[in-house]
Amino acid sequence: MTVKLDILQIQALLPHRYPFLLVDKVVECVPGQRLLAVKNVTFNEPFFQGHFPNLPIFPGVLIMEALAQATALLTSQSDELIAEGTIYYLAGIDNARFKRKVVPGDQLMLDIRYLKHRRNIWSFDCRAEVEGELAASAQIMCAASVN
């Protein structure tokens, strides 16, 4: 079963809001396996004013955050025992690598693949690509917690 999520469905699952909600839509999700999401990078985002003036580059730390938000979305779709209102926390980032600049006008494709989970900690292999070219990768862990 493949799931798609629009921005309203994403907002129902994640507590983040502008300017920190970094996933625009989920174009494909196979629960327990894989999620493919989109982050449209636009010049009018507030951090471009200072990163960097006259050379706008999407910050690498925000690429990692977008990947982390996408892991939370895959987790939310993968375990029927996770309750509504669950909050997902970034638990770890390993082997983070940055391969190309991401600039306004790029469409960042967030490719998340489930690796494993124990108790409330989930692990994923994550890639961020622009036009099929690797921009960044990492193994990311998230923790699910009911507040």
Side-chain angles (χ1 to χ4, degrees):
M1 175 177 97
T2 298
V3 177
K4 295 181 180 186
L5 301 173
D6 63 26
I7 192 64
L8 296 177
Q9 293 166 310
I10 291 168
Q11 286 180 320
L13 296 168
L14 297 179
H16 307 81
R17 295 298 179 263
Y18 178 83
F20 216 68
L21 180 57
L22 300 174
V23 178
D24 293 321
K25 69 178 174 179
V26 173
V27 295
E28 179 183 336
C29 177
V30 179
Q33 294 179 27
R34 179 176 185 252
L35 179 134
L36 184 62
V38 175
K39 164 60 180 148
N40 293 307
V41 180
T42 62
F43 183 71
N44 57 344
E45 295 180 78
F47 47 80
F48 282 129
Q49 188 174 18
H51 196 272
F52 300 104
N54 303 316
L55 183 62
I57 298 172
F58 192 69
V61 68
L62 292 182
I63 296 172
M64 290 297 125
E65 175 63 25
L67 289 168
Q69 290 178 20
T71 68
L73 292 169
L74 180 52
T75 303
S76 76
Q77 300 302 298
S78 298
D79 190 341
E80 61 277 348
L81 299 177
I82 293 178
E84 187 175 320
T86 297
I87 301 292
Y88 304 94
Y89 297 97
L90 177 61
I93 298 176
D94 293 321
N95 304 314
R97 297 290 180 263
F98 301 94
K99 300 295 186 180
R100 79 180 295 277
K101 290 184 282 189
V102 177
V103 298
D106 284 345
Q107 187 174 66
L108 200 58
M109 301 302 295
L110 310 169
D111 189 356
I112 311 301
R113 302 202 184 237
Y114 167 81
L115 293 174
K116 63 182 178 181
H117 80 275
R118 275 185 253 185
R119 296 188 186 136
N120 70 330
I121 304 291
W122 295 68
S123 296
F124 303 90
D125 186 47
C126 305
R127 295 172 57 91
E129 298 180 352
V130 175
E131 296 180 359
E133 185 180 346
L134 182 64
S137 63
Q139 287 187 341
I140 295 179
M141 294 177 288
C142 79
S145 176
V146 177
N147 280 356

